[in-house]
């Protein structure tokens, strides 16, 4: 639930927000036909022109293969094609000139417009990848290297990571003199077995590597985390499945300076974090189960001539209203002194539902 006093400044703000959303949708609609396909030279010029029209600060799409081939993990770790019951290592081929994401979402401007850095290789690139069924869970790709740079750099002393994958951050930590030992919490036992047999023997020796088979949510406690000098949480595939996981972690109330989260900034952009004065409203403040953010004004008088919103992700239709009802903030919005109501529902490509209730008093 989001409630604000209705003022001329707020009206202008929402007008600008709406324009930025429309602009974002137009940009993505125009860009989508070029994605995940080999670009012709004309199409490359069209994409760069599109970037220029929307103010995207990128002037070239070419990526040197050396950026990938010279990375220590890509250069030194060999993965054979191996499969067990739930996961496998398989070779993935990135065709030359295929336009792809090279990093996660970046904000552009003051409102909701954002973009993904894009690029292509000028030759076919073959790389091993961890597959779960038909889904590529993790590969030594440019987007992985780029998005983990800060976590790799900040690793020191006793390090902990949630999520194993192909062990990219573990490998890079073990190469650092200032890292003394690494602990991993991984839920999938098949991933652990493949890693221990085929990848870990190729890693630098001389430092302790401990793998705990367990649920990240069970170990995300202050007592456990405070055993480590640096913690990196990375057990989701993208912002989409990361959103509910990140929110659930925020609901624990654990807030430690040595803990970072993979693609946290992109997840926050996805959540459209609201800032009101000096107070930051984050997931975990007045939230129902799943993903639902509630922000309530301090002054009850602000409910007059206000707008409000309840949002949710990760519920079945028969449970979402109950979840809102069980949350004091969301329930207050549903019972508030509003004169208008709008309801929205949509499913993503994976079939997950997004729900919204919009309220207004006029």
């Amino acid at each position: 639930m989001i409630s604000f006093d209705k003022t001329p400044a707020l009206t202008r703000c929402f007008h600008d927000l709406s324009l930025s959303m429309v602009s974002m949708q137009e940009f993505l609609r125009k860009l989508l036909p070029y994605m995940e396909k080999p670009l012709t030279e004309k199409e490359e010029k069209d994409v760069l022109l599109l970037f220029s029209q929307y103010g995207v600060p990128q002037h070239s799409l070419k990526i040197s293969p050396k950026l990938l081939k010279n990375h220590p993990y890509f250069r030194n770790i060999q993965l054979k094609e191996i499969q067990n019951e739930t996961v496998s290592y398989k070779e993935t081929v990135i065709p030359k000139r295929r336009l792809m994401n090279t990093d996660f979402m970046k904000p552009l401007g003051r409102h909701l417009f954002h973009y993904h850095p894009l690029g292509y290789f000028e030759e076919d690139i073959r790389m091993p990848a961890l597959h779960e069924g038909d889904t590529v869970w993790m590969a030594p790709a440019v987007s992985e290297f780029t998005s983990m740079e800060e976590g790799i750099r900040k690793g020191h002393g006793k390090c902990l990571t949630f999520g194993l994958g192909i062990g990219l951050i573990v490998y890079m930590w073990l190469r650092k003199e200032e890292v003394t030992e690494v602990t991993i919490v991984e839920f999938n036992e098949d991933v652990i077995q493949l890693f221990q047999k085929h990848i870990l023997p190729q890693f630098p020796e001389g430092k302790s590597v401990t793998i705990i088979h367990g649920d990240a949510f069970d170990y995300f406690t202050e007592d456990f985390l405070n055993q480590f000098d640096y913690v990196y949480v990375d057990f989701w595939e993208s912002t989409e499945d990361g959103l509910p996981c990140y929110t659930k972690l925020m609901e624990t109330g654990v807030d430690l300076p040595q803990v970072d989260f993979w693609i946290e900034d992109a997840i926050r952009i996805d959540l459209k974090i609201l800032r009101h004065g000096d107070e930051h409203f984050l997931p975990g403040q007045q939230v129902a189960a799943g993903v639902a953010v509630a922000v309530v004004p301090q002054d009850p008088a602000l409910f007059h001539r206000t707008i409000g919103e309840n949002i949710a992700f990760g519920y079945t239709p028969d449970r979402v209203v109950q979840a809102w009802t069980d949350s004091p903030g969301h329930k207050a919005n549903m019972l508030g002194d509003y004169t208008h109501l709008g309801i929205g529902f949509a499913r993503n490509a994976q079939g997950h539902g997004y729900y919204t209730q919009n309220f207004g008093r006029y």
Side-chain angles (χ1 to χ4, degrees):
M1 179 184 68
I2 307 169
S3 297
F4 297 101
D5 189 18
K6 186 178 180 181
T7 65
L10 183 65
T11 300
R12 289 194 302 272
C13 176
F14 271 84
H15 177 265
D16 291 342
L17 287 172
S18 298
L19 287 180
S20 72
M21 293 180 70
V22 171
S23 180
M24 182 79 243
Q25 292 171 349
E26 290 178 346
F27 173 71
L28 292 176
R29 178 177 55 80
K30 294 176 181 178
L31 182 63
L32 189 60
Y34 302 101
M35 290 300 299
E36 298 298 331
K37 56 170 284 188
L39 292 178
T40 64
E41 291 186 3
K42 180 183 181 305
E43 289 173 331
E44 180 177 0
K45 293 178 180 179
D46 291 342
V47 171
L48 291 175
L49 178 60
L50 185 63
F51 282 179
S52 176
Q53 292 172 342
Y54 285 86
V56 174
Q58 185 173 339
H59 308 291
S60 175
L61 298 176
K62 296 179 182 179
I63 307 172
S64 171
K66 292 181 180 180
L67 183 65
L68 191 62
K69 294 181 177 180
N70 288 345
H71 191 278
Y73 189 100
F74 191 92
R75 185 176 64 243
N76 298 327
I77 305 303
Q78 305 298 317
L79 298 181
K80 301 177 181 178
E81 294 209 6
I82 301 167
Q83 185 166 351
N84 61 17
E85 290 186 8
T86 64
V87 296
S88 61
Y89 298 140
K90 297 178 183 177
E91 185 175 73
T92 297
V93 179
I94 302 176
K96 65 179 182 181
R97 296 188 64 85
R98 172 191 263 182
L99 190 62
M100 59 186 176
N101 295 328
T102 59
D103 201 350
F104 289 82
M105 286 184 275
K106 303 289 184 182
L108 186 64
R110 295 186 299 112
H111 302 296
L112 299 180
F113 193 97
H114 59 269
Y115 71 100
H116 288 78
L118 304 174
Y120 66 79
F121 292 112
E122 295 184 90
E123 62 183 66
D124 290 347
I125 299 292
R126 299 180 180 274
M127 66 171 65
L130 174 64
H131 291 249
E132 187 169 351
D134 295 329
T135 302
V136 176
W137 187 255
M138 187 177 184
V142 173
S143 58
E144 295 285 351
F145 296 155
T146 304
S147 60
M148 288 188 177
E149 283 179 350
E150 183 178 10
I152 293 169
R153 177 182 59 80
K154 293 173 71 173
H156 67 282
K158 299 169 65 175
C159 293
L160 167 69
T161 183
F162 290 94
L164 177 55
I166 57 175
L168 172 58
I169 198 166
V170 176
Y171 177 77
M172 298 304 293
W173 278 344
L174 292 174
R175 290 168 52 90
K176 299 181 65 174
E177 291 185 6
E178 56 265 48
V179 172
T180 57
E181 61 182 78
V182 176
T183 299
I184 307 140
V185 176
E186 169 59 45
F187 182 76
N188 192 321
E189 192 168 10
D190 289 339
V191 171
I192 295 174
Q193 290 178 356
L194 283 182
F195 175 81
Q196 288 179 321
K197 183 175 181 180
H198 301 285
I199 299 182
L200 186 57
Q202 303 180 61
F203 280 17
E205 298 179 351
K207 296 179 181 179
S208 172
V209 176
T210 302
I211 303 177
I212 299 172
H213 177 219
D215 191 323
F217 297 111
D218 294 335
Y219 286 88
F220 196 79
T221 65
E222 289 193 3
D223 287 345
F224 183 70
L225 299 176
N226 277 327
Q227 300 177 47
F228 302 93
D229 300 299
Y230 183 67
V231 179
Y232 196 71
V233 183
D234 173 17
F235 59 92
W236 40 79
E237 181 187 1
S238 65
T239 57
E240 186 169 306
D241 62 319
L243 191 64
C245 294
Y246 178 77
T247 301
K248 188 173 180 179
L249 294 174
M250 293 299 100
E251 288 177 331
T252 65
V254 174
D255 183 16
L256 298 174
Q258 76 270 30
V259 179
D260 285 332
F261 303 86
W262 181 58
I263 61 172
E264 181 178 19
D265 289 344
I267 290 174
R268 291 189 178 199
I269 294 173
D270 225 21
L271 255 171
K272 302 177 181 67
I273 295 301
L274 295 172
R275 291 190 171 108
H276 181 61
D278 292 329
E279 185 171 8
H280 292 202
F281 294 97
L282 300 175
Q285 292 180 305
Q286 295 179 306
V287 256
V291 178
V293 181
V295 181
V296 184
Q298 300 295 322
D299 185 353
L302 298 186
F303 278 105
H304 296 290
R305 296 182 303 144
T306 60
I307 59 175
E309 183 179 47
N310 288 345
I311 60 175
F313 168 78
Y315 296 97
T316 57
D318 60 327
R319 294 192 59 198
V320 63
V321 175
Q322 187 60 51
W324 279 328
T325 303
D326 292 340
S327 167
H330 296 85
K331 184 177 180 180
N333 209 19
M334 290 192 289
L335 299 178
D337 188 15
Y338 294 106
T339 59
H340 292 70
L341 169 66
I343 297 174
F345 172 76
R347 291 189 187 276
N348 61 17
Q350 287 69 42
H352 300 144
Y354 293 80
Y355 309 85
T356 181
Q357 294 176 318
N358 293 281
F359 307 89
R361 175 178 174 82
Y362 302 99

